[in-house]
Amino acid sequence: MRFLLSLLLPLWLATGGAMAQSLVMVEQPGCLYCARWHEEIGLAYPKTPLGERLGLVRVPLSGIGEQPFTTARPVTFTPTFLLIVDGQEAGRLEGYAGAHFFWPLLEGMVDKAGIAKDG
């Protein structure tokens, strides 16, 4: 996991990760709901307006403390989706109950954080 993190973190920082707006997915091996999210949402996410605006950064639960952003409270289970704005958690979705719930919850989180959806 640390090896994967060491590869992804510099790329994220090089693209403005800590200062940009992004969606962080905290996951772990064996998480059935993480796998379900990847099957139902994962391929479509970057092609959506929100996905284009909020790049997805995948972080292992074991490496959450090593990230260049601050969370409002500890992340204790997966999947947890963190809306990161300027290096700070601006919103959180815990768990995954299916695509019909994910998209409206994500939209609501973005609206509540005051992020313009059109860039």
Side-chain angles (χ1 to χ4, degrees):
M1 285 292 172
R2 288 189 189 275
F3 177 72
L4 179 60
L5 185 62
S6 68
L7 292 176
L8 294 178
L9 189 57
L11 177 62
W12 186 44
L13 291 173
T15 60
M19 296 306 290
Q21 300 168 350
S22 55
L23 183 66
V24 172
M25 179 183 185
V26 183
E27 58 189 334
Q28 64 183 331
C31 170
L32 297 177
Y33 292 100
C34 298
R36 186 171 161 209
W37 184 90
H38 285 293
E39 290 172 11
E40 296 177 2
I41 304 289
L43 292 176
Y45 179 81
K47 299 173 187 172
T48 67
L50 274 177
E52 290 175 0
R53 177 78 171 120
L54 301 172
L56 181 69
V57 178
R58 297 170 57 192
V59 174
L61 180 61
S62 63
I64 192 71
E66 302 167 18
Q67 300 306 307
F69 56 79
T70 304
T71 60
R73 63 183 193 279
V75 177
T76 56
F77 62 91
T78 58
T80 295
F81 300 90
L82 303 169
L83 177 59
I84 303 298
V85 178
D86 294 331
Q88 302 289 322
E89 177 182 336
R92 177 182 295 217
L93 298 176
E94 296 176 313
Y96 176 71
H100 292 297
F101 293 100
F102 178 78
W103 293 113
L105 290 171
L106 180 60
E107 292 268 349
M109 183 171 61
V110 168
D111 287 347
K112 187 175 180 182
I115 296 172
K117 294 179 203 166
D118 59 3

